[in-house]
Amino acid sequence: MTSKGNHKYLISIVGPTAIGKTALSIKLAHYFNTEIISADSRQFYKEMSIGTAAPTPTELAAAKHHFIHHKSIEDNYNVGAFEKDALQLLEILFKTHDVVIMVGGSGLYVDAVINGLDSFPEIDSKIREDLNKQLEIEGLETLQEKLEILDPESYKNIAIDNPKRVIRALEICIGSGQPYSFFLNKEKENRPFKAIHIGLTAEREVIYQRINQRVDIMMQQGLLEEVKALIDKQELNALNTVGYKELFKYLKGEWYLDFAISEIKKNSRRYAKRQLTWFRKKDNHLWFDYKTSIDTIVEAINLKIAEKT
């Protein structure tokens, strides 16, 4: 089905890691005869294939993908740059397609494309440096307590166990004199497309089992060798991520390999929990069990297109 009139649709597929988003995106790309934008910030980097579960060469050949391995870990690439690049690409794709698929587990990057980023004031970089030092010396809990005092609303709503998110909120509070939450959800420019939100999920035990299995497969595919090749660049921000930081500890002799693998599984499960918390805050997602047939999902999408047209 194609949309009537001049309406353009971005179908966003979200859900926890290892749930099957890539497979669904390819099926939908075939049905709508269209292309796929990745909004998974870890898959942007060409040096990180196995540990990020990037689409395989076979999957990449099955449908045209964008923003997979288009950057190096040494590039300074952030959500603002991605928003700009993705919107420019969508403008081109919508000239020849009524529907484009976007897939990814990075909630902030998905939101940036669909809703636009919130605008924050420029903050003195020394504030972030001081907060990072405090994190290193006193730990995350001290920063969490500070955020609870300065901005209780953000304390309740952000991923409080994510140091980057806590430091970002605190630097805005301290540098601007206003709560971080003050700058959120202001009115933004309308997008020239309509978004349809699809979420994949499963029982928690199933999600965790799939994550554990995926980590075992990654190790079989050569994740340790991939990480070993990057150890000289371990200080780069892109490599401070699940699957890499744990194996760096093993390679430095700090952990046994079995323990490092168990930590990858544990941290991946925590990441999946944060993903679900982020996406379930949204009340506009159509949620499907990961085993739902493609026909059922397509039918729901076409009903949404009919509603929005």
Side-chain angles (χ1 to χ4, degrees):
M1 171 175 178
T2 55
S3 61
K4 299 169 188 172
N6 294 319
H7 294 308
K8 304 296 179 181
Y9 297 90
L10 181 65
I11 300 172
S12 169
I13 304 169
V14 300
T17 187
I19 199 67
K21 298 184 293 293
T22 297
L24 175 60
S25 70
I26 290 169
K27 288 175 183 174
L28 290 177
H30 286 172
Y31 177 84
F32 288 103
N33 190 27
T34 191
E35 301 180 17
I36 298 169
I37 287 177
S38 171
D40 188 321
S41 61
R42 290 165 24 110
Q43 294 178 359
F44 296 160
Y45 303 109
K46 60 189 176 186
E47 297 90 345
M48 302 164 66
S49 288
I50 299 171
T52 63
T56 64
T58 303
E59 288 169 330
L60 291 171
K64 176 75 173 169
H65 286 71
H66 302 271
F67 303 114
I68 298 283
H69 297 161
H70 71 304
K71 292 290 175 184
S72 165
I73 54 173
E74 300 195 48
D75 291 333
N76 183 16
Y77 196 63
N78 57 30
V79 65
F82 173 71
E83 177 194 15
K84 182 182 171 190
D85 291 348
L87 290 175
Q88 285 176 348
L89 177 63
L90 282 170
E91 190 177 344
I92 294 165
L93 292 178
F94 280 136
K95 287 176 181 172
T96 51
H97 300 85
D98 288 333
V99 174
V100 175
I101 313 296
M102 182 167 70
V103 60
S106 303
L108 186 64
Y109 285 71
V110 172
D111 275 3
V113 175
I114 293 174
N115 302 313
L117 286 171
D118 293 297
S119 180
F120 295 99
E122 286 289 321
I123 302 296
D124 185 346
S125 61
K126 188 173 184 312
I127 294 173
R128 182 180 295 188
E129 287 168 21
D130 291 345
L131 289 168
N132 275 311
K133 279 179 196 164
Q134 192 175 356
L135 172 67
E136 201 174 318
I137 296 164
E138 300 176 36
L140 180 58
E141 196 174 335
T142 305
L143 297 183
Q144 290 170 337
E145 289 168 1
K146 185 180 282 193
L147 183 61
E148 188 174 17
I149 293 165
L150 292 177
D151 188 356
E153 188 179 336
S154 289
Y155 178 82
K156 282 189 293 185
N157 290 316
I158 69 167
I160 200 68
D161 57 346
N162 184 327
K164 285 183 191 171
R165 298 277 180 265
V166 174
I167 285 173
R168 176 61 176 155
L170 277 174
E171 71 173 347
I172 296 295
C173 293
I174 295 164
S176 71
Q178 294 274 13
Y180 176 77
S181 53
F182 170 81
F183 298 97
L184 301 179
N185 303 317
K186 303 287 187 189
E187 194 168 323
K188 303 182 186 82
E189 192 179 331
N190 284 334
R191 297 304 199 212
F193 56 79
K194 301 184 182 212
I196 296 173
H197 305 268
I198 303 296
L200 284 185
T201 190
E203 294 295 323
R204 183 169 292 184
E205 295 73 23
V206 174
I207 294 171
Y208 289 178
Q209 182 187 352
R210 287 174 69 87
I211 287 170
N212 292 342
Q213 185 180 25
R214 173 181 274 183
V215 173
D216 289 336
I217 290 169
M218 285 175 173
M219 292 304 297
Q220 291 163 16
Q221 290 174 335
L223 176 58
L224 184 56
E225 287 68 31
E226 181 171 276
V227 174
K228 204 178 283 184
L230 297 169
I231 194 160
D232 291 343
K233 297 178 180 176
Q234 64 187 284
E235 301 306 320
L236 291 174
N237 191 49
L239 292 171
N240 183 25
T241 189
V242 179
Y244 295 82
K245 60 185 180 180
E246 297 86 355
L247 289 177
F248 286 141
K249 284 186 177 289
Y250 160 68
L251 291 169
K252 289 188 286 185
E254 295 176 24
W255 287 353
Y256 289 112
L257 182 58
D258 285 350
F259 181 72
I261 294 169
S262 71
E263 287 293 291
I264 295 172
K265 291 175 180 178
K266 182 183 81 177
N267 291 330
S268 296
R269 294 192 297 266
R270 285 180 174 169
Y271 178 56
K273 191 176 174 185
R274 288 202 303 270
Q275 287 174 307
L276 281 171
T277 300
W278 176 289
F279 293 122
R280 281 183 172 152
K281 283 180 186 170
K282 322 285 182 184
D283 56 7
N284 55 356
H285 283 60
L286 297 172
W287 286 98
F288 296 95
D289 183 84
Y290 78 110
K291 288 183 177 175
T292 303
S293 74
I294 185 67
D295 293 343
T296 300
I297 295 174
V298 162
E299 185 180 357
I301 291 170
N302 280 332
L303 281 171
K304 276 285 177 189
I305 288 176
E307 280 174 22
K308 290 175 181 265
T309 302

